[in-house]
Amino acid sequence: MTFVYPGSFDPVTNGHMDIINRASKICDRLIVLVSVNLSKNYVFSLEERVELLKLAIGKRDNVEVMSHTGLLVDFMHKVNAKTIIKGLRAVSDFESEMQMALLNRNLDNEIDTLFMMTSLNNSFLSSSAVRELARYGGKIDDLVPPEIADIIIRKLKK
Ligand code: PNS
């Protein structure tokens, strides 16, 4: 079975990596999909977000990184997948995630969204917090994969 894990990944954090590691153990193929949330202004371009994910994930048999700028359900049809994976950190994520899951199901009743809880030590973590810390010189090396920490700091440090 193919799972699609969509998100902004601006940039990928250890919280996202936790979901990638967990999800890839329970599916045959995991597509990590860099997508566009129209309510966000991105710091990293689509290409940069893909590149950071590729560096962080490395070579794995059943995980690949792709990007898409249209509707998620259209991408799901293109790759013939029916399961979306999303990570939940806290109750505060739930409302918007439920809305997205139900909107996607409204577009295609065959598509389901599975939610996985991130580990407790990642539950406070967000891409926006990483960007803010990096911009002001805070330590991020325990929050993002080691392969990409310097790239993030170079891009963001004032
Ligand atoms: O990491 P994010 O910002 O919570 O990810 C949200 C994302 C990019 C997965 C979502 O906005 C999305 O699926 N965008 C693609 C456009 C789409 O299909 N929108 C309808 C579902 S709400």
Side-chain angles (χ1 to χ4, degrees):
M1 203 191 262
T2 299
F3 287 1
V4 175
Y5 176 32
S8 291
F9 305 107
D10 187 39
V12 57
T13 68
N14 285 344
H16 299 125
M17 292 306 293
D18 184 30
I19 299 297
I20 290 168
N21 293 336
R22 287 172 193 283
S24 64
K25 286 188 198 141
I26 57 166
C27 63
D28 302 310
R29 178 188 183 205
L30 177 68
I31 299 174
V32 182
L33 184 71
V34 181
S35 194
V36 178
N37 179 341
L38 285 181
S39 59
K40 291 186 177 171
N41 288 318
Y42 292 113
V43 168
F44 293 91
S45 69
L46 193 75
E47 294 72 25
E48 286 173 322
R49 289 180 278 141
V50 167
E51 200 45 47
L52 290 174
L53 268 163
K54 284 186 174 167
L55 286 170
I57 292 169
K59 204 143 182 55
R60 298 197 202 181
D61 282 345
N62 71 335
V63 184
E64 61 201 282
V65 182
M66 297 174 91
S67 65
H68 181 71
T69 51
L71 278 179
L72 177 57
V73 291
D74 290 340
F75 179 84
M76 300 295 288
H77 296 154
K78 200 171 92 179
V79 297
N80 203 15
K82 298 207 180 300
T83 309
I84 299 166
I85 276 279
K86 290 305 272 305
L88 279 182
R89 287 166 301 191
V91 187
S92 52
D93 283 339
F94 183 75
E95 206 170 301
S96 61
E97 290 299 342
M98 186 174 83
Q99 186 188 26
M100 281 193 259
L102 294 179
L103 283 172
N104 285 324
R105 179 180 283 169
N106 192 51
L107 293 173
D108 183 340
N109 191 42
E110 293 285 297
I111 292 177
D112 271 301
T113 305
L114 297 186
F115 292 101
M116 297 186 101
M117 300 302 301
T118 50
S119 312
L120 195 57
N121 57 341
N122 289 318
S123 60
F124 62 94
L125 189 50
S126 65
S127 295
S128 58
V130 165
R131 293 195 302 272
E132 188 156 324
L133 284 168
R135 179 145 295 169
Y136 296 112
K139 187 162 102 55
I140 61 162
D141 49 324
D142 53 347
L143 307 180
V144 299
E147 298 81 5
I148 65 168
D150 283 347
I151 304 174
I152 295 170
I153 289 167
R154 252 182 279 130
K155 168 105 181 174
L156 287 171
K157 208 168 174 188
K158 283 190 165 171

